[in-house]
Amino acid sequence: MHDLLSHISESLSSVFDSIAFFKPEVYLALLFIVVMITDLIFGKRSLKLCRIVACAGLLLVVYLDLKQFALILDGNHLIFSNMLLLSRSGIFFKLIIDLLSFILLLYFGWDNKLNGHQKGLSDLYSIAIASVFGLHLMVMAVNLLSIYLAIEMVSIASYLMVAYRTENAFSTEAGLKYVLFGAASSAIMLYGISLLYGFSGSLDIIFKYSIQHLSAVNPVSSSFAMILVLLGIGFKLSFVPVHFWVPDVYQGASTPVTAYLSTVPKIAAFALLINFISPFIFTTYWKGFDIGIAFALIGTVTMVAGNFAAVLQTNVKRMLAYSSIGHTGFALMAVVVLSLHSVSVLSYYLLVYALANIGALALATYFANEAGAEDVEEYRGLGLKYPIASVCFVIILISLTGLPVTAGFTGKLFVFSAVYGVYQQTHSIWLMLLMITGALTTVVSLFYYIKIPLNLFLKRKEMVEISNKKSVNLLILSIFISFILILLGIFPHWVLQLL
């Protein structure tokens, strides 16, 4: 009995000690409660107030993220009985997620269709804050149980966001598809987790003894368990072969929700993937399949499938959905050559990709609000009517393609350099295939990205209908993002010095 009491005392002491490293997440939990209570108290009048509270709260969380850099000067910290890991790269990922989420919360209210929802957007802000909390957990999770709980928390919030516009049949259908695919991937991942736990006898994947125990199991069995877990994580990353949900869900969801799903969960999923596979890569005990070769193959197929499918699309949102699959494949190049340098490169690439993707979707909303244009053909002649927005669209698409002098070019250059540096040492045919595919698919991406500038400036339309409502906020956001993409392309060290 005395031993049990002392164990409880030690556990409580460990929990209280961990809270000092968990302050941003504590504030996010409180922010979720405050936004929800604000909505309950003020009802339909709470829209602007909930938005102000959510945005101000996220800025406070960003400040707390920055303060966490001082906590890890003496190294990484495992907290809550080894469930979560606080590291420098993890803090940077959280910082990116919070800043992008702040922009997206502002963006929610600027979409005419979403803003016209009869229930208002107050619920959506509380769901988004809950999702950000789950994304923080995904970035820090290093225990099989915490990994599963974090992914499920984000998934449930994502299902609600996709189907938020219940009066829209297409949105409801997209939400249902997302739930079905998500439930299947969750079940697959949970089965893989149970197998890994049964084989290793531990939920802690970060420790060497867990991999040692796995090495005593038949390599086929342990590899099968690993593949199942990676498929579950891959659902969030949307790499091939678990990418089928992306086009329909992205097209069916409201454009700001599409911007959210295509950026911040993907960033958190990459951080989670790095945490999960690092112990298996940096050890000699793992006897299963070669993880580097597996991701080289997945990255190659994902780049090809995403970019070639995007060429065939006419709907702007659907085209950007397939484009995001291609970008996932390109980002996997940095995972294949996993190291501290490649993680820094990956962080930079994901930041500039996310900014550009949000900018592109914000401009898709702008043209939908102003001229009702949703397909590429409907953009004809709009470049002369909306010159500032159109020029910004061109800059953002140049960054997504990876052309100078934008941040997209710098990001792709860094990724290629990281892969080529490892190739010079190993002369791996898989790395060579990966680089060739990356270069070719970058050229292919020109064929679908150029459709938008072509229709904006070089094709004419007899009459363009202009709405009375001006989307000034979206225009300001697109100008800001365009400026940042050029600035980060010229001065990438502003970001890299934080890593």
Side-chain angles (χ1 to χ4, degrees):
M1 185 66 181
H2 291 293
D3 292 339
L4 181 61
L5 289 173
S6 63
H7 177 69
I8 292 173
S9 177
E10 289 174 6
S11 298
L12 288 174
S13 177
S14 174
V15 168
F16 288 126
D17 290 341
S18 299
I19 290 175
F21 301 94
F22 199 64
K23 282 186 178 179
E25 291 71 33
V26 172
Y27 276 78
L28 275 171
L30 293 173
L31 180 61
F32 168 72
I33 295 170
V34 170
V35 173
M36 192 165 56
I37 291 175
T38 303
D39 181 29
L40 291 172
I41 293 174
F42 293 96
K44 292 184 178 180
R45 297 173 297 169
S46 68
L47 175 58
K48 289 185 178 179
L49 192 57
C50 284
R51 190 180 187 187
I52 292 169
V53 170
C55 292
L58 267 182
L59 288 178
L60 175 61
V61 173
V62 167
Y63 170 72
L64 293 171
D65 288 337
L66 291 170
K67 287 188 68 176
Q68 283 196 312
F69 282 112
L71 298 176
I72 56 165
L73 295 177
D74 57 341
N76 299 339
H77 285 272
L78 284 165
I79 57 176
F80 295 117
S81 301
N82 305 325
M83 295 285 283
L84 304 174
L85 174 69
L86 186 67
S87 62
R88 190 172 186 85
S89 60
I91 295 171
F92 186 73
F93 276 118
K94 291 195 296 181
L95 189 60
I96 294 174
I97 288 168
D98 294 337
L99 287 171
L100 293 176
S101 297
F102 172 76
I103 294 173
L104 288 163
L105 286 180
L106 293 175
Y107 178 18
F108 283 164
W110 298 337
D111 182 89
N112 286 355
K113 293 180 180 178
L114 186 59
N115 204 27
H117 192 283
Q118 58 183 1
K119 293 191 299 183
L121 299 183
S122 301
D123 291 337
L124 190 60
Y125 292 125
S126 57
I127 294 168
I129 296 298
S131 177
V132 173
F133 179 81
L135 294 171
H136 274 230
L137 296 183
M138 280 179 67
V139 169
M140 301 169 70
V142 289
N143 179 283
L144 291 174
L145 181 59
S146 61
I147 286 172
Y148 180 74
L149 291 175
I151 289 178
E152 284 306 292
M153 182 177 292
V154 175
S155 296
I156 292 170
S158 300
Y159 303 152
L160 294 171
M161 292 172 78
V162 170
Y164 194 77
R165 286 174 58 202
T166 51
E167 79 286 353
N168 185 298
F170 199 14
S171 178
T172 305
E173 181 186 347
L176 182 59
K177 286 181 180 179
Y178 194 23
V179 169
L180 292 175
F181 278 113
S185 70
S186 176
I188 290 169
M189 182 177 65
L190 189 58
Y191 184 43
I193 287 173
S194 66
L195 288 176
L196 284 179
Y197 175 62
F199 293 153
S200 66
S202 173
L203 291 170
D204 294 317
I205 58 168
I206 201 169
F207 296 118
K208 191 180 292 183
Y209 66 79
S210 298
I211 317 296
Q212 285 178 315
H213 291 161
L214 276 177
S215 65
V217 180
N218 187 307
V220 176
S221 300
S222 58
S223 295
F224 178 67
M226 271 287 288
I227 289 169
L228 294 181
V229 178
L230 289 174
L231 284 174
I233 299 173
F235 175 78
K236 282 295 170 197
L237 287 172
S238 65
F239 59 60
V240 176
V242 283
H243 69 293
F244 295 106
W245 61 275
V246 172
D248 288 339
V249 172
Y250 282 17
Q251 186 180 358
S254 302
T255 308
V257 172
T258 300
Y260 186 90
L261 293 177
S262 62
T263 52
V264 284
K266 188 168 289 190
I267 292 170
F270 267 108
L272 175 61
L273 179 66
I274 291 168
N275 288 344
F276 180 71
I277 66 173
S278 293
F280 296 91
I281 291 178
F282 300 115
T283 182
T284 57
Y285 294 107
W286 171 244
K287 304 299 181 185
F289 65 93
D290 191 308
I291 295 173
I293 292 176
F295 276 107
L297 182 60
I298 291 170
T300 300
V301 176
T302 302
M303 280 189 280
V304 171
N307 285 286
F308 278 91
V311 174
L312 305 174
Q313 307 307 313
T314 57
N315 181 275
V316 174
K317 283 174 67 177
R318 199 172 182 88
M319 184 185 76
L320 290 172
Y322 278 109
S323 163
S324 74
I325 296 172
H327 281 282
T328 296
F330 195 91
L332 284 173
M333 292 174 66
V335 176
V336 172
V337 292
L338 192 60
S339 65
L340 289 175
H341 173 63
S342 69
V343 171
S344 301
V345 166
L346 177 63
S347 303
Y348 178 83
Y349 180 80
L350 290 175
L351 172 61
V352 298
Y353 154 73
L355 280 172
N357 207 53
I358 290 171
L361 287 165
L363 284 166
T365 299
Y366 177 85
F367 284 109
N369 288 353
E370 295 289 333
E374 294 187 356
D375 285 353
V376 174
E377 291 291 326
E378 294 172 344
Y379 280 43
R380 287 188 171 198
L382 295 181
L384 300 178
K385 294 288 182 181
Y386 310 102
I388 298 175
S390 300
V391 170
C392 289
F393 217 153
V394 173
I395 293 171
I396 287 167
L397 292 175
I398 285 173
S399 184
L400 282 171
T401 306
L403 299 178
V405 291
T406 59
F409 169 77
T410 309
K412 287 196 171 185
L413 181 64
F414 285 161
V415 172
F416 273 119
S417 299
V419 177
Y420 184 69
V422 177
Y423 171 75
Q424 285 184 309
Q425 300 171 10
T426 62
H427 299 286
S428 168
I429 188 66
W430 295 103
L431 294 183
M432 175 59 75
L433 177 64
L434 201 59
M435 288 188 291
I436 292 172
T437 306
L440 290 176
T441 51
T442 297
V443 175
V444 170
S445 68
L446 278 170
F447 286 91
Y448 58 85
Y449 284 135
I450 203 171
K451 289 180 184 178
I452 294 175
L454 182 67
N455 281 278
L456 284 172
F457 293 106
L458 300 181
K459 292 189 177 182
R460 294 289 180 267
K461 191 176 183 180
E462 290 183 6
M463 183 177 179
V464 179
E465 295 181 5
I466 303 175
S467 67
N468 293 324
K469 185 172 182 178
K470 299 295 181 182
S471 304
V472 178
N473 293 327
L474 287 171
L475 187 60
I476 293 171
L477 176 62
S478 62
I479 292 170
F480 172 75
I481 289 176
S482 302
F483 178 71
I484 291 295
L485 288 173
I486 293 173
L487 207 60
L488 290 181
I490 300 171
F491 305 105
H493 62 276
W494 289 357
V495 173
L496 295 174
Q497 67 185 1
L498 292 173
L499 293 163

